[in-house]
Amino acid sequence: MVRERVRRLLLRFPDALARVGLVSRRRARDTFELAVPSMVSAGIWTVLRITDFFMVSLALPDAAVAALEISFQFYFVGFSLAIAVSSGTISLVSRFKGAGDDDAADLAVKQSVWFAVLISVPLTAVSWLFADELMGLLSADAAVVEFGAAYLQVVMLALVFRFVSMIGSRGLQGCGDTVTPMYVNLVVIPINIVLNAVLIFGLGPAPRLGITGAAIGTAVANVFGATVFTAIYLSGRFPLRFRPGGTQVDLAMAGEILRVGLPLAGRRLVATLGRFPFLYLLGILGTPVVAAFAIGRQIVQLAMIPGWGYATSASTLVGQRLGEGAEDEATAYGWETVTVALATQLLVGAAFAALAYPIARLFGTASVDLTAAFIWVFVLGIAGTSVAQTLEGGLRGAGDTTWPLYGMALGTALRLGVAVLAVPAGLTLATVGGVEFAPGLGLGVVAVFAAILVDMYSRAAVNAVRFRSRRWQAVARRSADRQAASED
């Protein structure tokens, strides 16, 4: 009864958008109902990240906050690959379910798990052996290197478990079940937060481990989450099943996961690797700038949570409609999901802009003005991020993942090209063939702000142009033809 009342209350939002003629009531409701559980899941993960930064900022100096931001970028290399593989999973599962092929959907999950193991093990080994060297690439501050290496070594031990959790979550979402992953995360994330607090501050009998405690708490929670999803898939009571026996490898399906996933992996890696020189440039401006950027970015991730939910909705609804052969309906769902996403995120963003100063003060940073300024800049870019995220979800549902890669590459290149203008004039950033590269104009954080906005809106433009072209429909048809040919 309570659940139904909450549902009716929430549905007033898409109904209101339909009444003013922005969307159709049916599509808006479908989109919103699928998105809300994914928003909750994304939201609690974002809260976890913010809580990490908040607790570390209270327990340790700004160098630890900067270290957390930098070390997480290395973790995000593996995390990006996990997102790519799991995105291949949701693309295939949504289309197989739309076509009524449950066995193929089950096998797609198994293929993804094998990819997870093959990718995560070597990345974990490299991070364990070379954590200090990796951190040293991006910071000359000894304290930042020490804090970051301690975090990176431990958190990467659970990368394979994070992989499995993401595949389990995305597989169920591809079936239209966004509620079960939400419930799992509602259990896992509080465990993570409590463990982090206990181990960072040394509460009760636990030792005070600082930033290492944050890594241990995250690693343990990832192991627990993977265990829960494994039990769900083995139970046989959910839309997908994991069968340990039987077929282990289907080359055509594995190839399709790679075809869909590799551009997504490239997109994520471009984003992650692009952050390394960006953080290096911020480091030239000073550790307080890195810390203010890190806090501002984490805070505004909360305002961007709806975009992740709507991207999942777009992937599922577009993929299922394509599996049914309803291409026009798939297109309509894609555009209307963008409309609902924009309406949601602009409202949330406005609230965060109004609260920028109180939020910055809450984190206890010495650079309150700068942190608030970063929050405002990220809020200004929310519309671009909303369009980019949601349409990427729609393209992903069709298996057309190359253009989001192009958009990310363009945005990253423009962001770095503008950001270099921030460094002091005459400062040599590199020497190539005896020629010094010193492009800085001394514009400082103003150039950094401009770089962030250019990145956000250029990605939105590329994804919008591609979705408008409808060429992604042909990509989905070719994928279906290849899979049908492999089964003959």
Side-chain angles (χ1 to χ4, degrees):
M1 183 66 71
V2 173
R3 180 177 176 179
E4 183 59 28
R5 288 178 180 174
V6 172
R7 176 179 175 273
R8 287 199 299 267
L9 178 63
L10 291 174
L11 287 175
R12 290 182 181 180
F13 179 70
D15 288 351
L17 296 178
R19 279 196 296 272
V20 297
L22 293 175
V23 290
S24 75
R25 186 171 183 269
R26 174 179 59 84
R27 295 192 193 102
R29 280 190 161 214
D30 288 346
T31 293
F32 194 73
E33 288 198 271
L34 272 179
V36 168
S38 295
M39 288 182 206
V40 174
S41 295
I44 55 182
W45 278 108
T46 303
V47 168
L48 169 63
R49 289 291 302 147
I50 292 172
T51 302
D52 277 359
F53 273 84
F54 179 65
M55 289 189 287
V56 168
S57 70
L58 292 181
L60 299 165
D62 276 357
V65 177
L68 197 60
E69 176 70 15
I70 293 172
S71 60
F72 192 74
Q73 301 314 313
F74 289 106
Y75 175 73
F76 208 77
V77 172
F79 188 72
S80 299
L81 294 172
I83 291 173
V85 172
S86 62
S87 296
T89 305
I90 195 173
S91 175
L92 286 179
V93 167
S94 63
R95 283 182 277 152
F96 286 142
K97 283 292 183 178
D101 193 343
D102 293 345
D103 289 340
D106 292 343
L107 184 56
V109 174
K110 184 184 292 186
Q111 300 294 285
S112 299
V113 171
W114 283 120
F115 278 127
V117 174
L118 290 172
I119 294 169
S120 59
V121 171
L123 289 175
T124 299
V126 169
S127 299
W128 180 263
L129 295 172
F130 302 106
D132 287 306
E133 290 81 359
L134 292 172
M135 288 298 301
L137 291 174
L138 296 181
S139 179
D141 188 322
V144 171
V145 171
E146 182 180 356
F147 282 127
Y151 182 85
L152 185 63
Q153 280 188 313
V154 175
V155 79
M156 286 294 285
L157 293 175
L159 180 62
V160 66
F161 299 99
R162 186 73 186 102
F163 249 112
V164 170
S165 292
M166 292 189 67
I167 291 167
S169 177
R170 290 301 186 99
L172 292 172
Q173 289 167 352
C175 300
D177 179 5
T178 56
V179 174
T180 300
M182 177 188 72
Y183 286 147
V184 173
N185 288 324
L186 283 172
V187 175
V188 172
I189 301 306
I191 291 173
N192 197 158
I193 292 173
V194 171
L195 284 174
N196 283 9
V198 169
L199 296 174
I200 289 172
F201 296 105
L203 303 179
R208 182 184 176 93
L209 299 178
I211 200 168
T212 303
I216 293 173
T218 299
V220 171
N222 282 339
V223 173
F224 180 73
T227 302
V228 173
F229 274 112
T230 300
I232 285 172
Y233 275 76
L234 291 174
S235 72
R237 297 196 298 268
F238 290 83
L240 289 171
R241 291 183 294 169
F242 185 83
R243 301 164 181 163
T247 303
Q248 297 297 316
V249 178
D250 182 308
L251 293 179
M253 190 177 293
E256 182 64 9
I257 291 174
L258 286 176
R259 188 194 68 76
V260 174
L262 284 176
L264 286 170
R267 176 204 173 284
R268 293 285 179 175
L269 289 174
V270 165
T272 302
L273 297 177
R275 289 194 194 103
F276 292 152
F278 187 70
L279 289 171
Y280 175 76
L281 295 172
L282 293 185
I284 292 174
L285 300 180
T287 297
V289 175
V290 179
F293 166 81
I295 294 171
R297 190 172 73 86
Q298 290 301 321
I299 290 299
V300 177
Q301 290 298 310
L302 286 171
M304 296 179 181
I305 286 169
W308 299 328
Y310 290 122
T312 299
S313 288
S315 290
T316 301
L317 294 169
V318 169
Q320 289 180 346
R321 298 296 88 76
L322 290 173
E324 296 167 358
E327 293 183 348
D328 288 344
E329 189 71 359
T331 303
Y333 267 111
W335 286 120
E336 293 198 16
T337 302
V338 170
T339 302
V340 180
L342 275 171
T344 307
Q345 288 184 268
L346 290 175
L347 289 173
V348 177
F352 277 95
L355 296 172
Y357 264 101
I359 292 170
R361 292 191 189 98
L362 182 64
F363 273 75
T365 177
S367 306
V368 172
D369 289 343
L370 187 57
T371 302
F374 270 111
I375 292 174
W376 289 328
V377 169
F378 281 116
V379 167
L380 286 174
I382 277 182
T385 299
S386 180
V387 172
Q389 278 183 311
T390 308
L391 289 180
E392 180 183 336
L395 293 170
R396 185 169 60 226
D400 184 7
T401 52
T402 303
W403 278 81
L405 167 61
Y406 297 155
M408 181 59 70
L410 175 63
T412 300
L414 292 175
R415 172 159 49 89
L416 293 176
V418 175
V420 295
L421 304 178
V423 304
L427 178 66
T428 300
L429 296 179
T431 302
V432 180
V435 178
E436 294 184 345
F437 180 63
L441 296 179
L443 299 182
V445 292
V446 173
V448 175
F449 296 159
I452 291 170
L453 293 174
V454 166
D455 179 11
M456 289 176 161
Y457 283 98
S458 61
R459 288 187 281 120
V462 171
N463 288 351
V465 167
R466 179 60 174 180
F467 199 83
R468 186 177 179 81
S469 75
R470 291 200 177 201
R471 292 178 182 174
W472 47 273
Q473 295 175 354
V475 173
R477 287 194 295 269
R478 288 195 296 270
S479 173
D481 291 342
R482 284 192 298 267
Q483 189 62 36
S486 72
E487 294 174 356
D488 292 340

